[in-house]
């Protein structure tokens, strides 16, 4: 029994020390509530969990800001979304909220967008699809975003934070 305890105790201690975190705060004067602290390299999903967020086994975090009352998209349907995206340091890197081009459209589950969007909007891996009229906060870890590749102004291994509204489904 003592040998088992001695074998398991170091694993438990390492796990407990990994769970300790510094308090999370956004930059002073930040105009958005969607700011997260910078995660440690190669974090586990539990290590970067934001308050109020549901954390999936893949590391994707989501929170219903407003539950829609419309239909939920099905695989291969075209959805229309409005969004803004931030890096964890509070820098907004993209938004289509105020542009004249209208909502972004993509087919759910077809890989036309990053995997975190397919899952976070269209559902999957235990996440229910959004409803039309709904708004979600998504925190997308690098492996469900652009991974180790830089993409335009986005550095490699970026955690991405989105405020997404599902405005419609094309039939």
């Amino acid at each position: 029994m003592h040998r088992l305890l001695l074998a398991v105790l170091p694993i438990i201690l390492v796990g407990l020390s990994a769970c300790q975190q510094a308090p999370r705060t956004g930059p002073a004067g930040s105009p958005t509530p969607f700011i997260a602290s910078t995660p440690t390299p190669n974090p586990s999903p539990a290590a970067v969990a934001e308050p109020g967020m549901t954390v999936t086994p893949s590391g994707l975090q989501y929170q219903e800001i407003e539950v829609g009352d419309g239909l939920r998209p099905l695989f291969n349907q075209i959805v229309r979304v409005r969004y803004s995206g931030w890096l964890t340091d509070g820098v907004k890197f993209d938004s289509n909220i105020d542009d004249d081009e209208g909502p972004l459209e993509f087919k759910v589950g077809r890989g036309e967008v990053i995997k975190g969007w397919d899952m976070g909007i269209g559902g999957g891996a235990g996440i229910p699809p959004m409803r039309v009229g709904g708004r979600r906060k998504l925190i997308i870890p690098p492996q469900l975003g652009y991974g180790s590749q830089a993409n335009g102004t986005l550095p490699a291994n970026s955690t991405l934070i989105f405020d997404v509204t599902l405005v419609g489904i094309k039939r």
Side-chain angles (χ1 to χ4, degrees):
M1 179 72 164
H2 291 292
R3 286 185 193 169
L4 178 61
L5 183 58
L6 290 175
V8 173
L9 187 58
I11 296 170
I12 293 170
L13 292 175
V14 168
L16 288 174
S17 66
C19 292
Q20 295 177 352
Q21 298 180 30
R24 298 178 170 274
T25 58
S30 173
T32 175
F34 302 106
I35 304 301
S37 64
T38 304
T40 56
N42 300 320
S44 68
V48 294
E50 292 290 322
M53 302 293 289
T54 299
V55 182
T56 67
S58 68
L60 176 69
Q61 298 179 48
Y62 70 98
Q63 179 182 35
E64 300 290 344
I65 304 299
E66 185 175 332
V67 178
D69 57 4
L71 296 173
R72 294 182 188 269
L74 301 173
F75 177 80
N76 218 25
Q77 283 187 314
I78 298 173
V79 294
R80 303 177 75 230
V81 297
R82 287 286 190 178
Y83 68 92
S84 291
W86 292 267
L87 294 172
T88 57
D89 63 4
V91 172
K92 185 188 279 188
F93 63 85
D94 196 10
S95 179
N96 74 352
I97 300 294
D98 297 321
D99 68 20
D100 294 332
E101 295 181 26
L104 175 72
E105 297 182 354
F106 68 93
K107 283 187 181 181
V108 172
R110 302 296 296 189
E112 294 179 1
V113 293
I114 58 175
K115 190 166 183 80
W117 266 40
D118 262 339
M119 293 168 50
I121 296 168
I127 304 169
M130 291 180 71
R131 290 187 174 277
V132 172
R135 183 174 158 218
R136 263 186 195 164
K137 176 182 174 182
L138 301 174
I139 300 179
I140 301 174
Q143 68 273 15
L144 298 178
Y146 297 103
S148 61
Q149 298 298 314
N151 186 7
T153 61
L154 299 177
N157 297 311
S158 293
T159 295
L160 308 174
I161 304 168
F162 287 97
D163 179 350
V164 180
T165 301
L166 180 59
V167 297
I169 299 172
K170 279 188 162 181
R171 296 197 179 253

